[in-house]
Amino acid sequence: MAKESLPQKIETLSKEVIRANIKVYLTVLDPLGTAIDEVLFGIGDRIRAKRLETFVKILSEKLDGVNQNKVDMSFLQSEEFFDLNMRVFSAAIKSRHEEKYRILSSVFLSKVFNEEEWKTELIEIFVGIIDDFSVRHIIVFKYFVNNIDSFKEASSYEDLYNEFVAYHSIEQIDKYEFRLYCRDLENKSLLSFSSNINEYGSSVGYIVM
């Protein structure tokens, strides 16, 4: 095994000093500090490793049967590929939901195999949206994508919610929670609602986003 260079030794030492300082500060917060310490330096490492393992497993399953000769090898050596990895894997580590892993892996591979003419900046926006959104955001968005006709015909959020509940009877989402998801999706420009769609409990009122 190659010996660490002096800059590498300094970096390692700096990280150890920072970690030691954090642990000292956390002792002041006991018993909360002990719990935080376990999350950051104990169980936290195991959770991150488990999430990465699950994400990479899903990624490898999507790669199965794909012609990897289509990959631009120069891209794999680029800073753009490095940035893509950092963005996608960081988002994966922050989630425990396999639904997000599947979407992130699809976005990742679409860029690697250049299946879509997406600029890196657009990919970063997509990953950022997936990172920010909860699984319930994704469920609501998928509902609209798969039921575009009822979406177009709805005259109120009450109608939208009732249609959604009938479609997703298992999902216990309050109608006001549902409204917030709709707002978030529109704010991210993923959906666009009519400006005169009625709010809950109103026959004439409307909201301008």
Side-chain angles (χ1 to χ4, degrees), residues 46-82:
R46 295 194 294 275
I47 289 174
R48 282 189 287 270
K50 181 62 178 177
R51 290 178 178 182
L52 279 177
E53 179 186 7
T54 304
F55 174 67
V56 172
K57 179 177 180 291
I58 290 173
L59 187 64
S60 65
E61 289 171 353
K62 285 185 175 289
L63 271 172
D64 188 34
V66 174
N67 182 8
Q68 298 192 39
N69 293 327
K70 293 168 59 179
V71 179
D72 180 358
M73 299 307 293
S74 63
F75 173 69
L76 300 185
Q77 302 298 321
S78 67
E79 288 191 34
E80 186 179 359
F81 180 65
F82 172 82

Side-chain angles (χ1 to χ4, degrees), residues 164-195:
F164 173 79
V165 170
Y167 187 84
H168 271 292
S169 58
I170 300 177
E171 295 300 326
Q172 300 301 315
I173 294 180
D174 176 87
K175 68 178 184 179
Y176 297 106
E177 183 183 358
F178 175 79
R179 177 65 183 90
L180 290 174
Y181 295 145
C182 291
R183 180 189 292 272
D184 286 345
L185 290 167
E186 188 162 25
N187 287 342
K188 293 292 187 181
S189 300
L190 296 176
L191 295 175
S192 180
F193 297 98
S194 170
S195 61

Side-chain angles (χ1 to χ4, degrees), residues 2 8 19 38 48 65 75 82 87 111-112 143 150 161 173 178 192 195:
Q8 288 173 326
R19 177 174 289 197
E38 175 64 14
R48 282 189 287 270
F75 173 69
F82 172 82
R87 199 80 168 89
K111 179 60 179 177
V112 169
Y143 161 74
S150 60
Y161 177 71
I173 294 180
F178 175 79
S192 180
S195 61

